[in-house]
Amino acid sequence: DINGLRGLSVLVVVLSHFNLRLFSGGFVGVDVFFVISGYLMSKIIVSGFLKGNFQYFSFVLRRAQRIFPALYVLLILMLVGGVLLLAPTDLTRLATQTVQAVIFNSNNYFAGKQGYFSGGADDNWLMHTWSLSVEWQFYMLYPALIWLAFAINGLRSPDRRNLTLFYATLTTM
Protein backbone atom coordinates (compact mmCIF):
# COMPACT_ATOMS: atom_id res chain seq x y z
CA ASP A 1 0.00 0.00 0.00
CA ILE A 2 1.27 3.46 -0.86
CA ASN A 3 0.56 4.87 2.59
CA GLY A 4 2.57 2.02 4.10
CA LEU A 5 5.52 2.93 1.86
CA ARG A 6 5.19 6.57 2.87
CA GLY A 7 5.20 5.57 6.54
CA LEU A 8 8.23 3.33 6.01
CA SER A 9 10.12 6.14 4.27
CA VAL A 10 9.37 8.52 7.16
CA LEU A 11 10.53 5.85 9.64
CA VAL A 12 13.85 5.49 7.78
CA VAL A 13 14.38 9.25 7.99
CA VAL A 14 13.55 9.38 11.71
CA LEU A 15 15.81 6.42 12.50
CA SER A 16 18.66 7.97 10.51
CA HIS A 17 18.58 10.93 12.89
CA PHE A 18 19.58 8.57 15.70
CA ASN A 19 22.86 7.95 13.84
CA LEU A 20 22.27 4.21 13.55
CA ARG A 21 24.54 2.65 10.94
CA LEU A 22 21.73 0.51 9.58
CA PHE A 23 19.68 3.63 8.84
CA SER A 24 22.40 6.03 7.73
CA GLY A 25 20.70 6.68 4.38
CA GLY A 26 17.93 8.94 5.62
CA PHE A 27 17.85 10.85 2.36
CA VAL A 28 16.69 7.68 0.62
CA GLY A 29 13.58 7.87 2.79
CA VAL A 30 13.05 11.49 1.80
CA ASP A 31 13.51 10.60 -1.87
CA VAL A 32 11.04 7.71 -1.65
CA PHE A 33 8.53 9.96 0.13
CA PHE A 34 8.88 12.65 -2.56
CA VAL A 35 8.47 10.12 -5.38
CA ILE A 36 5.33 8.66 -3.79
CA SER A 37 3.92 12.13 -3.13
CA GLY A 38 4.67 13.13 -6.72
CA TYR A 39 2.85 10.05 -7.99
CA LEU A 40 -0.19 10.69 -5.78
CA MET A 41 -0.33 14.41 -6.63
CA SER A 42 0.03 13.65 -10.35
CA LYS A 43 -2.85 11.22 -10.12
CA ILE A 44 -5.06 13.75 -8.30
CA ILE A 45 -4.20 16.70 -10.53
CA VAL A 46 -4.25 14.92 -13.90
CA SER A 47 -7.48 13.15 -13.03
CA GLY A 48 -9.04 16.48 -12.07
CA PHE A 49 -7.93 18.12 -15.31
CA LEU A 50 -9.17 15.22 -17.41
CA LYS A 51 -12.55 15.30 -15.68
CA GLY A 52 -12.64 19.09 -16.01
CA ASN A 53 -13.15 19.63 -12.29
CA PHE A 54 -9.69 20.44 -10.94
CA GLN A 55 -9.84 23.41 -8.59
CA TYR A 56 -6.46 24.82 -7.61
CA PHE A 57 -7.56 26.52 -4.39
CA SER A 58 -9.41 23.43 -3.22
CA PHE A 59 -6.30 21.35 -3.95
CA VAL A 60 -4.04 23.72 -2.01
CA LEU A 61 -6.53 23.97 0.87
CA ARG A 62 -6.58 20.17 1.27
CA ARG A 63 -2.77 20.13 1.42
CA ALA A 64 -2.78 23.01 3.93
CA GLN A 65 -5.29 21.22 6.16
CA ARG A 66 -2.92 18.26 6.29
CA ILE A 67 0.32 20.18 6.82
CA PHE A 68 -0.43 23.37 8.75
CA PRO A 69 -1.82 22.01 12.04
CA ALA A 70 1.16 19.79 12.85
CA LEU A 71 3.64 22.42 11.66
CA TYR A 72 2.08 25.19 13.74
CA VAL A 73 1.91 23.02 16.87
CA LEU A 74 5.60 22.19 16.41
CA LEU A 75 6.56 25.82 15.88
CA ILE A 76 4.56 27.07 18.86
CA LEU A 77 6.05 24.40 21.15
CA MET A 78 9.55 25.20 19.90
CA LEU A 79 9.07 28.92 20.53
CA VAL A 80 7.60 28.36 24.01
CA GLY A 81 10.48 26.04 24.84
CA GLY A 82 12.90 28.56 23.38
CA VAL A 83 11.52 31.39 25.52
CA LEU A 84 11.95 29.22 28.61
CA LEU A 85 15.31 27.63 27.84
CA LEU A 86 17.35 29.59 25.31
CA ALA A 87 19.68 32.53 25.55
CA PRO A 88 18.48 35.65 23.69
CA THR A 89 20.80 35.14 20.70
CA ASP A 90 19.70 31.52 20.33
CA LEU A 91 16.05 32.53 20.68
CA THR A 92 16.55 35.09 17.90
CA ARG A 93 17.97 32.37 15.64
CA LEU A 94 15.03 30.10 16.48
CA ALA A 95 12.59 32.93 15.70
CA THR A 96 14.27 33.51 12.33
CA GLN A 97 14.09 29.80 11.54
CA THR A 98 10.42 29.80 12.59
CA VAL A 99 9.61 32.62 10.17
CA GLN A 100 11.35 30.71 7.37
CA ALA A 101 9.34 27.58 8.23
CA VAL A 102 6.04 29.51 8.32
CA ILE A 103 6.63 30.96 4.85
CA PHE A 104 7.92 27.60 3.57
CA ASN A 105 11.34 28.94 2.67
CA SER A 106 13.45 26.73 4.96
CA ASN A 107 15.08 24.93 2.05
CA ASN A 108 16.42 28.17 0.60
CA TYR A 109 17.29 29.65 3.99
CA PHE A 110 19.31 26.66 5.22
CA ALA A 111 20.92 26.04 1.82
CA GLY A 112 22.41 29.51 2.10
CA LYS A 113 23.70 28.87 5.63
CA GLN A 114 25.52 25.54 5.60
CA GLY A 115 25.24 21.93 4.56
CA TYR A 116 22.79 19.55 6.17
CA PHE A 117 25.61 17.48 7.67
CA SER A 118 27.98 20.38 8.44
CA GLY A 119 29.36 20.98 11.88
CA GLY A 120 26.89 23.01 13.91
CA ALA A 121 23.92 21.81 11.87
CA ASP A 122 22.43 20.38 15.06
CA ASP A 123 22.04 23.95 16.35
CA ASN A 124 19.50 24.64 13.61
CA TRP A 125 16.44 23.34 15.42
CA LEU A 126 14.15 23.65 12.41
CA MET A 127 16.50 22.46 9.68
CA HIS A 128 14.26 19.42 9.15
CA THR A 129 11.56 21.76 7.79
CA TRP A 130 13.54 22.09 4.55
CA SER A 131 11.74 19.05 3.11
CA LEU A 132 8.35 20.44 4.10
CA SER A 133 9.22 23.66 2.27
CA VAL A 134 10.15 21.71 -0.85
CA GLU A 135 6.90 19.76 -0.59
CA TRP A 136 4.79 22.93 -0.22
CA GLN A 137 6.55 24.66 -3.11
CA PHE A 138 5.83 21.55 -5.19
CA TYR A 139 2.13 21.71 -4.28
CA MET A 140 1.99 25.36 -5.29
CA LEU A 141 3.77 25.01 -8.65
CA TYR A 142 3.05 21.50 -9.92
CA PRO A 143 -0.60 22.10 -10.88
CA ALA A 144 0.54 25.05 -13.00
CA LEU A 145 3.10 22.86 -14.79
CA ILE A 146 0.47 20.23 -15.50
CA TRP A 147 -1.95 22.91 -16.72
CA LEU A 148 0.81 24.19 -19.02
CA ALA A 149 1.41 20.68 -20.37
CA PHE A 150 -2.33 20.35 -21.03
CA ALA A 151 -2.37 23.73 -22.79
CA ILE A 152 0.67 22.90 -24.95
CA ASN A 153 -0.91 19.65 -26.07
CA GLY A 154 -4.40 21.04 -26.51
CA LEU A 155 -5.84 18.65 -23.93
CA ARG A 156 -8.97 20.38 -22.78
CA SER A 157 -11.14 17.30 -22.47
CA PRO A 158 -10.57 13.71 -21.36
CA ASP A 159 -9.35 12.56 -24.78
CA ARG A 160 -7.21 9.61 -23.70
CA ARG A 161 -5.56 9.25 -27.13
CA ASN A 162 -3.46 12.32 -26.36
CA LEU A 163 -2.32 11.15 -22.90
CA THR A 164 0.91 9.64 -24.21
CA LEU A 165 1.90 12.97 -25.74
CA PHE A 166 0.81 14.75 -22.56
CA TYR A 167 2.97 12.57 -20.30
CA ALA A 168 5.92 12.89 -22.68
CA THR A 169 5.63 16.69 -22.50
CA LEU A 170 5.21 16.64 -18.74
CA THR A 171 8.31 14.52 -18.16
CA THR A 172 10.49 16.72 -20.39
CA MET A 173 9.57 19.96 -18.60
Side-chain angles (χ1 to χ4, degrees):
D1 182 54
I2 288 180
N3 286 325
L5 284 174
R6 289 174 83 176
L8 189 59
S9 67
V10 169
L11 181 63
V12 169
V13 171
V14 169
L15 291 174
S16 75
H17 285 287
F18 288 103
N19 295 322
L20 303 172
R21 286 191 89 146
L22 183 61
F23 297 99
S24 61
F27 279 112
V28 171
V30 173
D31 292 344
V32 169
F33 184 86
F34 280 159
V35 167
I36 292 169
S37 290
Y39 167 77
L40 292 173
M41 294 307 105
S42 295
K43 189 174 178 182
I44 290 168
I45 297 166
V46 169
S47 173
F49 276 117
L50 289 174
K51 291 175 185 174
N53 64 359
F54 180 79
Q55 296 178 352
Y56 178 77
F57 291 108
S58 176
F59 171 79
V60 171
L61 179 62
R62 286 192 307 272
R63 309 286 82 72
Q65 289 171 332
R66 185 181 63 79
I67 292 173
F68 287 14
L71 175 64
Y72 292 154
V73 167
L74 167 75
L75 296 177
I76 289 167
L77 290 174
M78 291 293 292
L79 287 172
V80 168
V83 166
L84 297 173
L85 301 171
L86 295 178
T89 55
D90 291 334
L91 182 57
T92 300
R93 280 191 339 184
L94 177 60
T96 300
Q97 292 174 28
T98 300
V99 168
Q100 296 301 315
V102 166
I103 64 172
F104 295 96
N105 190 50
S106 295
N107 57 329
N108 296 313
Y109 174 75
F110 288 119
K113 294 290 179 190
Q114 65 192 48
Y116 194 78
F117 296 107
S118 300
D122 292 338
D123 293 337
N124 293 318
W125 299 284
L126 295 174
M127 185 177 275
H128 63 282
T129 61
W130 73 266
S131 60
L132 193 58
S133 294
V134 170
E135 185 177 2
W136 185 255
Q137 292 161 11
F138 173 76
Y139 293 153
M140 299 297 287
L141 296 175
Y142 194 52
L145 290 175
I146 292 179
W147 175 84
L148 182 62
F150 266 82
I152 289 170
N153 288 297
L155 292 175
R156 303 196 196 295
S157 65
D159 182 358
R160 301 218 182 252
R161 293 172 303 190
N162 293 325
L163 276 179
T164 304
L165 181 59
F166 163 71
Y167 282 114
T169 302
L170 186 61
T171 57
T172 59
M173 296 181 100

